[in-house]
Amino acid sequence: MGALHDDNFSTPDQRPDAIARLIADHRPGHGLVRDFYMDPDVFARDMERVFRRHWHCLAHESVIPKPGDFELFRLGDEQIILTRDMQGEVHGLLNSCRHRGAEVCTKDRGNAKMFVCPYHAWTYTLDGALRAARLMPKDFDRAAHALKKVHVKVVEGLVFISFAKEPLDFTQVEQSLHASIGQYGWGAAKVAHRETYPISANWKLAVENYVECYHCGPAHPEYSQTHALEQPPEVIAGLNAAMEEKSCALGLSVLSGNHWQNSARGGEAVDVFRYALYEGASTGSEDGSPLAPLMGRFTDYDGGVTSIHLGGTTFLVCYPDHGMIYRFIPKTHDTCEMELIWLVKDGAEEGVDYDLNRLTWLWKVTTEEDKKIIEHTARGVKSHYFEPGPIAPMEYNELRYITWYLDEISRA
């Protein structure tokens, strides 16, 4: 499918021995040391062995609903043009002309039949094929100069891309998504709102914060009013049992499954798990009350949430009446972005079926709090005297993530 070649997208490590020593010196059961967040060479390794190796969710396909629609996405140094061609197929094109490398797409989104490079007017179709190259010799091979493409998968309405020449097997991810968000009807959803939060911190600090709820009680009082993740295990077990009983009574089977793995096994990492809201709470709102029309197979609320961790940068949150896509986007060694995408049932009308402020309130508040926490941490770890402490028992997902990350950047 004209996928990328690794040699085009690899940045050689300038100090491989130093990075190897950092990995070897890591203290098990503890956080990462300063250089993992502050060293540009480590960031280059992250881009090579995490971002250009794994799958990433770009968006919900409803952002390009019509033939000719496109949107430009930025991930690290790369720009991906997400397009829908006239036959309805979705493509991911690299925004770099095959002549001199100029950006062929200069708008963030829109509708077009062609992309015309502003430099020398080479013209490309929506699937990346080179349609015209003015004043080139008669023997010039246009077919050999199509825009480079990334691998694309569309599953339950979500668009995933991979830069790898041979992408990680996506079979387990597809099965997991069909068995989980398939119940929530995300394939027939639409984007209600998107918000991007610039973060003055290394991307790993943002992800590590997301995956643990040790901080939820002190840092997220609003979230903790309805979500029970900080309770003792025996309390959570009881709430989860009641949630599953409600799901069964509704005829639902939202399947969980931990398939978190490193890339050495050839497949993408995914973990689907369920957890309960407090009794009386229906969804992720300020007071737990319903926000929007029920989605998918849900005919009532089951008092629960389905959470999905996928590939290291993509996180999904499913409520019966709305969904959340959480994307982590690297920028530089000390900056990143978090994009939040709110989904509702396709056909639901803002102001009629849902109030946008109520729909977005909880996760806006929570993410603004997270931004502050992450940036507080980023400023703190800049200290040359910073020494990471032990991972707390409630930070088990952070421990898993750090272990996975170190394994990924260890292997060429």
Side-chain angles (χ1 to χ4, degrees):
M1 58 182 294
L4 308 180
H5 292 279
D6 292 342
D7 55 354
N8 291 338
F9 291 89
S10 295
T11 302
D13 296 313
Q14 297 175 19
R15 297 187 293 111
D17 292 341
I19 296 176
R21 283 197 299 273
L22 278 176
I23 297 169
D25 290 345
H26 174 71
R27 189 177 177 186
H30 287 66
L32 298 173
V33 298
R34 176 184 189 273
D35 283 353
F36 282 107
Y37 307 115
M38 299 302 301
D39 191 331
D41 292 340
V42 173
F43 179 75
R45 175 75 72 90
D46 290 354
M47 296 302 296
E48 176 192 353
R49 298 188 181 179
V50 178
F51 287 92
R52 289 193 285 273
R53 179 180 284 168
H54 286 273
W55 289 88
H56 310 279
C57 181
L58 280 191
H60 190 273
E61 67 170 330
S62 63
V63 301
I64 50 168
K66 302 186 300 296
D69 283 351
F70 68 88
E71 181 164 342
L72 185 63
F73 292 84
R74 296 170 178 86
L75 199 159
D77 292 333
E78 305 303 335
Q79 297 183 35
I80 304 99
I81 316 167
L82 190 67
T83 70
R84 189 180 295 276
D85 67 22
M86 295 306 170
Q87 288 70 49
E89 187 175 350
V90 176
H91 303 272
L93 314 175
L94 267 293
N95 192 21
S96 179
C97 182
R98 293 299 307 281
H99 177 222
R100 297 283 296 280
E103 298 167 334
V104 301
C105 180
T106 58
K107 296 181 179 180
D108 285 341
R109 59 185 58 83
N111 186 278
K113 294 182 178 179
M114 302 281 177
F115 295 109
V116 180
C117 178
Y119 199 175
H120 298 98
W122 283 27
T123 302
Y124 300 90
T125 60
L126 294 166
D127 64 359
L130 180 60
R131 180 71 174 270
R134 53 186 291 275
L135 304 179
M136 292 299 288
K138 289 184 178 180
D139 61 351
F140 173 68
D141 185 0
R142 289 185 304 186
H145 292 84
L147 291 177
K148 289 185 178 290
K149 302 177 75 171
V150 294
H151 296 272
V152 172
K153 295 274 190 184
V154 181
V155 184
E156 297 292 343
L158 301 182
V159 180
F160 297 90
I161 61 112
S162 171
F163 294 100
K165 180 181 179 181
E166 296 293 336
L168 295 173
D169 182 60
F170 210 62
T171 304
Q172 184 59 63
V173 174
E174 291 192 60
Q175 292 174 352
S176 296
L177 294 180
H178 289 317
S180 56
I181 66 174
Q183 303 293 299
Y184 289 86
W186 280 25
K190 72 170 187 177
V191 173
H193 185 66
R194 299 162 71 176
E195 188 119 357
T196 298
Y197 295 81
I199 310 293
S200 296
N202 182 272
W203 70 276
K204 293 187 293 294
L205 288 174
V207 173
E208 288 175 38
N209 173 77
Y210 180 89
V211 299
E212 57 92 352
C213 209
Y214 185 39
H215 72 283
C216 290
H220 300 310
E222 303 86 359
Y223 175 88
S224 298
Q225 287 291 321
T226 50
H227 296 67
L229 282 180
E230 207 180 36
Q231 289 293 327
E234 61 273 13
V235 174
I236 291 177
L239 291 169
N240 285 352
M243 170 193 69
E244 294 299 350
E245 187 175 329
K246 290 179 184 177
S247 296
C248 290
L250 294 172
L252 296 169
S253 178
V254 183
L255 297 184
S256 301
N258 185 355
H259 302 282
W260 197 260
Q261 59 184 320
N262 60 48
S263 58
R265 299 183 181 181
E268 187 56 272
V270 62
D271 183 14
V272 181
F273 58 96
R274 302 253 292 147
Y275 63 92
L277 301 170
Y278 283 117
E279 185 176 353
S282 297
T283 191
S285 62
E286 182 174 4
D287 59 1
S289 62
L291 290 170
L294 290 165
M295 301 174 69
R297 297 187 60 233
F298 282 81
T299 56
D300 201 351
Y301 293 87
D302 66 351
V305 185
T306 298
S307 183
I308 301 170
H309 296 188
L310 197 162
T313 62
T314 300
F315 300 87
L316 312 174
V317 180
C318 311
Y319 299 102
D321 59 359
H322 72 288
M324 300 291 306
I325 304 170
Y326 222 115
R327 301 178 59 230
F328 290 88
I329 307 161
K331 304 299 287 185
T332 66
H333 75 278
D334 59 359
T335 64
C336 66
E337 291 178 347
M338 298 186 293
E339 185 187 22
L340 276 67
I341 305 171
W342 283 261
L343 301 177
V344 295
K345 184 177 182 179
D346 189 25
E349 295 184 34
E350 180 185 347
V352 177
D353 299 304
Y354 63 93
D355 178 274
L356 188 60
N357 289 330
R358 289 190 65 238
L359 179 76
T360 60
W361 183 87
L362 179 64
W363 283 96
K364 277 189 174 183
V365 167
T366 302
T367 305
E368 286 162 1
E369 292 165 344
D370 277 333
K371 173 179 165 67
K372 291 179 182 178
I373 296 164
I374 295 163
E375 292 180 341
H376 281 313
T377 306
R379 289 189 290 269
V381 301
K382 285 182 180 180
S383 169
H384 290 272
Y385 304 99
F386 164 66
E387 182 178 347
I391 301 294
M394 284 189 64
E395 297 175 295
Y396 52 89
N397 274 334
E398 181 179 355
L399 179 61
R400 178 181 73 171
Y401 194 89
I402 288 173
T403 303
W404 175 88
Y405 162 76
L406 291 172
D407 182 77
E408 289 300 309
I409 66 167
S410 297
R411 295 181 303 100

